[in-house]
Amino acid sequence: MSILILIDGQAVDLVAGAARLVGAARQLGDDITLFIAGVATQEQAAPLAVLEGIREVIWCGLPATGEGGVPVEDLAHGVVSMAGEYTHILAAASTFGAERIPRIASQLGVAPVTGVVEIRAADTFVRPIHAGALLSLVRLHASPVLLTVQPWAFAPVATGDSAVTVGREVVLPRLGLSVWGGRMAVSRQGGNGDLDTARVV
């Protein structure tokens, strides 16, 4: 099995989150590549190179503005172009993963499994349904397998004494399909807003 893990390079606790994703991936196989999206330099990807059980670290930089991280469409295009090298592609079940894994799956013509809390086999996964009231057993017959996993459900790997080399930068296309709109200050006075009349939602 060859596994690609998509990592949000702008995550607050980058190494701890990645360690749990690698812990999940090691239940699938030991040929694991970390793809760190949205770091400014190769050196910023280096702290993840000491995680045990990984073979390679690759990375892609921020767009010229640096705001909002790597656009979803750009990253998806890059991952789709290399998807044939991997049996599994996974990310955290966070906003980052929830925006990217379904888009990649759609472009590859496969169905993703989201919110995975247990890996039974390379094609069999457990995920919660009905707001966590029930657990669903899902078996996939597709390649590659695309997953988002709940990091808290998997034990983190340790850090080793030696590091793998932080490898190539993946140069993404700048498709320009979405732009960073900036941040807004949100007032918490006056209760909930009215979505029907809100200028920005």
Side-chain angles (χ1 to χ4, degrees):
M1 302 294 171
S2 183
I3 304 108
L4 180 68
I5 305 177
L6 305 182
I7 304 289
D8 180 5
Q10 296 190 307
V12 174
D13 203 347
L14 181 61
V15 176
R20 290 185 177 275
L21 293 179
V22 175
R26 291 188 72 176
Q27 298 186 26
L28 296 165
D30 56 7
D31 185 0
I32 300 169
T33 297
L34 299 185
F35 184 3
I36 308 172
V39 291
T41 65
Q42 185 175 4
E43 287 70 26
Q44 288 182 309
L48 276 70
V50 298
L51 293 176
E52 288 187 349
I54 62 173
R55 177 179 61 84
E56 183 183 16
V57 175
I58 59 178
W59 63 287
C60 66
L62 290 162
T65 62
E67 292 283 5
V70 177
V72 174
E73 302 87 357
D74 297 1
L75 182 60
H77 188 280
V79 173
V80 167
S81 69
M82 65 176 74
E85 304 174 33
Y86 302 98
T87 58
H88 296 74
I89 300 172
L90 64 89
S94 60
T95 301
F96 176 85
E99 289 178 341
R100 288 156 179 82
I101 290 294
R103 186 176 188 91
I104 295 165
S106 174
Q107 293 184 13
L108 292 172
V110 299
V113 182
T114 58
V116 170
V117 295
E118 183 182 348
I119 296 172
R120 296 277 182 91
D123 63 351
T124 308
F125 311 95
V126 176
R127 64 180 299 269
I129 57 174
H130 300 301
L134 297 173
L135 294 176
S136 172
L137 185 67
V138 180
R139 177 169 291 169
L140 289 180
H141 300 283
S143 182
V145 173
L146 274 86
L147 310 169
T148 64
V149 302
Q150 296 287 0
W152 54 262
F154 299 92
V157 296
T159 55
D161 295 330
S162 60
V164 300
T165 301
V166 178
R168 69 186 189 274
E169 179 182 8
V170 179
V171 179
L172 300 177
R174 299 308 183 196
L175 302 176
L177 298 177
S178 61
V179 295
W180 175 246
R183 294 182 174 86
M184 293 179 57
V186 178
S187 172
R188 299 193 178 277
Q189 299 178 355
N192 295 327
D194 183 356
L195 295 181
D196 293 331
T197 59
R199 185 177 62 84
V200 176
V201 176

